Amino acid sequence: MTSIRPIRTFRAIALASVLPLTLLLAPIDAAARDQIRIVGSSTVFPFSTTVAERFGRTTAFKTPIVESTGSGGGLKLFCAGPGDDTPDIANASRRIKRSEVELCARNGVRDIVEVRIGFDGIVVARSKVNPVLPLTRKQLFLALARRVPVAGGMVENPNRTWKEVDPGLPDREIEVLGPPPTSGTRDAFVELAMEGGAKQIPMLATLAKQDKKAFKTAAHAIREDGAYIEAGENDNLIVQKLEANPNAFGIFGFSFLNQNVDRIEASPIDGVEPTFENIAAGRYPISRSLYFYLKKSHVGRVPGLREYIAEFTSERAVGPDGYLADKGLIPLPEADRRTVRKAASALEPLHL
Amino acid sequence: MSSAGASDLRATALTGRARRRLARRHRAEKRFRAYGFGAIAIALGILMLLFASIVIGGWGAFFRSEATLEIRFDAERIDPDGLRKPDVLATGDYGGLVRDALERLFPDVAGRRAKRALRRLMSRGAAYDLQKRVLDNPALIGQSASIPLPLSDEADLYVKGRISPDLPETERTLSDRQIAWLDALRERGRIHTGFNPGFFSSGDSREPELAGIGGALVGSLMTLFVALILCFPLGVAAAVYLEELAPETRWTRLVEVNINNLAAVPSVIFGVLGLAIFLGTFGLPRSAPLVGGLVLSLRTLPIIIIASRASLAAVPPSIRSAAMAIGASPIQVVAHHVVPNALPGILTGTIIGMAQALGETAPLLMIGMVAFVVDIPTGITDPATVLPVQIYLWADSPERAFVEKTAGAIIVLLAFLVSMNGTAVWLRQRFEKRT
């Protein structure tokens, strides 16, 4: 009774095991791409995808594919070679490094076009149940650095509470949730807030003049004794944790503050509140520029690249009333926007 | 021992101490049962809590709010030269039509800021919706119609009651004015909340109210299909060979140990391997379900081999001996008797392996499937993403409305998993009955 069916089963299995081989041997269509490929920063990702979607819906071109790989990872892929199998555009939440330009050149990627798209502010915020606590970059440095200067020497950060950092601050334990070292937000925070704070301390300021490298090591190291908690790359998670723990501060991008104004409020830094206007005017100290980089050699080979750049630099995208402003991108000053637009449409190559 | 004998024993032979000991043992027995019951109750309770929080959070994702507007398909705005050319129609100012309709409804709204605030009540998708209608039916130009169009994500959250109007204005993303307009629209009966088919049929979008899991669902299906046709036959063939036919040598033992180790390798390693081999050496396309399937089949293959071997080993040796005794060749023994008897277990192992593959994101990051893909893939070499990746991307988005979408996508992923496991149970029962 079971004799017929098992044979069939076995034959089916035998036949099926041949299938994968044919699948592997089937020629893969390696013709030129008809779709833009973008990689890079998770901070630029929401803006890049918004432009990509709009571009796909309003033009005859296919919607570009945008991957969220982080700035460093994206530029590495971007610089892997000039071929069609490498991305056309890399988004970055920091400027491309000289070493990356060199890597690109070694792999045959020569003409890189840089496009600056706007600003992003990094905020230090806390749950709304507490009153607003203005902070300075110096206080942030003293609260978060691994080693701080005490009586002429550097010691392991002894500050347990904000009051120990500055007598004017409340007697509360220091607890700050922030991004891990792999994140571009962390890079920018360290560079702008920590370094900026360290420079206000006389001893470190002299060090900065004498030995730049030693100063950077001192200013960039964040304490690892539990006061600074690495909360992962997900900014939404940090916002939720701030709600649960009203004493803790969080460090994240401005767009997340914008979306959660009912739950959290940001500390003014050096007396400047992180508002749209203050960041746009360059008054808020912890803000950075966002970029994307393009392979000039792909323009003309991959259809739609020129049009994508035109859309991304257009006033209706990056202008003060543009749709990217709705998503939390802070526009460049008008003159800068005009320069960027002109340089981008002329595909002017990058000079570092 | 009969119960009469037991009570005899208890009545006569038990001393006080023995009776106390017995009572203590009975109590220990009861406690043990209570612990077990408690453990299951806690596990179930946590599971229920998880399900409840996800369903409560994500139920709203299956619905969306629409406002019915009187749209005048103004030829000036969408087809200024009157030639009805599709490429001209595609670039028409459909956003302008929506704006006009809103301003006709609220004629007293003046000033650029106020008009902008009014316009932001409607989704950007409203314009795409009108564009599609006109392209499908150019005869609409010059006419008027009342058309239900999607509200923006924030207006949608307000209509669904997720933004409280009692909060101070500075603490919510909608202004007092916008809330007043929404209330006015609601009073005029223009706002409806209904099932959102787009959540299942569309690809990803930056606008939460337009985003759907259709693309990710198709991507997951394609990826799993590729993984299944690769690793099921290979896995079963490997298991049959190792369990039934292979001689016990140092070489086969080495292979066995390696398969067991492979099952324990963190999945991201397979992604790195896929990046180097499938993308690097073979030059397969990035972000494609084909490569995703290849990588996940590497991940699943050892699981299937191990499960298949276990169920082959569980087939009683008497069946093999009986088949041999009536003159079956080793191949016939395996094909006619051993494999069919082991099939329920093999299928269960395969489906559980597939269910694990369905939940993977780490290896896919390396091969570019953690990506924003709007177009729904039509073949296994098209760029695609998968369900868990979609959940990850939405969870990371700043817009508050994506929280709901994330939970909605989790519901779909769980339903997918439960139905796969259900299939495993059903298949097992079906095959067990037959043999």
Side-chain angles (χ1 to χ4, degrees), chain A residues 249-319:
Chain A
F249 283 90
I251 297 170
F252 43 84
F254 174 74
S255 41
F256 287 85
L257 175 71
N258 215 10
Q259 286 284 329
N260 293 289
V261 278
D262 57 329
R263 306 175 179 180
I264 47 176
E265 64 197 352
S267 295
I269 303 291
D270 296 349
V272 185
E273 272 180 64
T275 60
F276 191 89
E277 292 75 21
N278 282 341
I279 299 171
R283 281 191 293 268
Y284 182 71
I286 324 179
S287 74
R288 57 177 163 173
S289 295
L290 304 177
Y291 303 85
F292 70 84
Y293 294 91
L294 162 88
K295 273 178 202 156
K296 195 174 174 181
S297 61
H298 282 198
V299 177
R301 276 236 306 276
V302 178
L305 263 182
R306 212 177 259 284
E307 291 80 357
Y308 176 81
I309 300 167
E311 177 72 41
F312 212 141
T313 52
S314 72
E315 204 60 17
R316 67 165 175 271
V318 293

Side-chain angles (χ1 to χ4, degrees), chain A residues 57-273:
Chain A
R57 300 227 199 218
T58 54
T59 65
F61 301 105
K62 279 194 179 175
T63 311
I65 303 295
V66 188
E67 282 180 47
S68 171
T69 60
S71 302
L75 283 165
K76 205 168 152 197
L77 286 169
F78 179 80
C79 289
D84 279 343
D85 54 345
T86 59
D88 311 308
I89 291 175
N91 297 324
S93 59
R94 56 167 171 77
R95 202 154 190 229
I96 192 168
K97 291 179 191 160
R98 190 171 294 277
S99 60
E100 286 161 342
V101 176
E102 281 158 11
L103 174 71
C104 265
R106 266 204 306 284
N107 292 330
V109 182
R110 291 226 152 67
D111 282 343
I112 304 172
V113 181
E114 177 183 80
V115 181
R116 194 152 74 103
I117 58 172
F119 297 114
D120 177 38
I122 296 170
V123 300
V124 180
R126 181 161 79 148
S127 157
K128 255 213 139 111
V129 298
N130 292 307
V132 181
L133 182 68
L135 291 169
T136 64
R137 281 182 288 171
K138 189 176 164 191
Q139 288 165 347
L140 280 173
F141 174 79
L142 289 175
L144 296 178
R146 183 181 302 159
R147 296 167 73 83
V148 293
V150 170
M154 294 294 278
V155 296
E156 293 290 320
N157 197 334
N159 300 325
R160 295 265 117 227
T161 65
W162 289 101
K163 204 181 166 88
E164 288 169 36
V165 169
D166 189 319
L169 294 175
D171 191 12
R172 287 265 173 82
E173 208 178 327
I174 299 171
E175 249 186 303
V176 178
L177 302 158
T182 47
S183 148
T185 310
R186 162 84 166 250
D187 289 348
F189 178 79
V190 161
E191 213 162 282
L192 298 161
M194 299 286 286
E195 229 179 86
K199 279 192 183 142
Q200 292 168 20
I201 297 165
M203 186 189 142
L204 286 167
T206 31
L207 183 67
K209 281 187 202 114
Q210 289 159 355
D211 186 349
K212 229 175 169 139
K213 215 167 166 191
F215 169 73
K216 288 219 156 151
T217 330
H220 286 201
I222 285 192
R223 66 199 293 183
E224 280 163 358
D225 57 356
Y228 180 89
I229 303 149
E230 281 174 15
E233 296 256 16
N234 188 328
D235 288 359
N236 272 329
L237 207 66
I238 297 185
V239 172
Q240 281 176 20
K241 285 182 181 163
L242 291 185
E243 255 197 310
N245 181 0
N247 275 334
F249 283 90
I251 297 170
F252 43 84
F254 174 74
S255 41
F256 287 85
L257 175 71
N258 215 10
Q259 286 284 329
N260 293 289
V261 278
D262 57 329
R263 306 175 179 180
I264 47 176
E265 64 197 352
S267 295
I269 303 291
D270 296 349
V272 185
E273 272 180 64

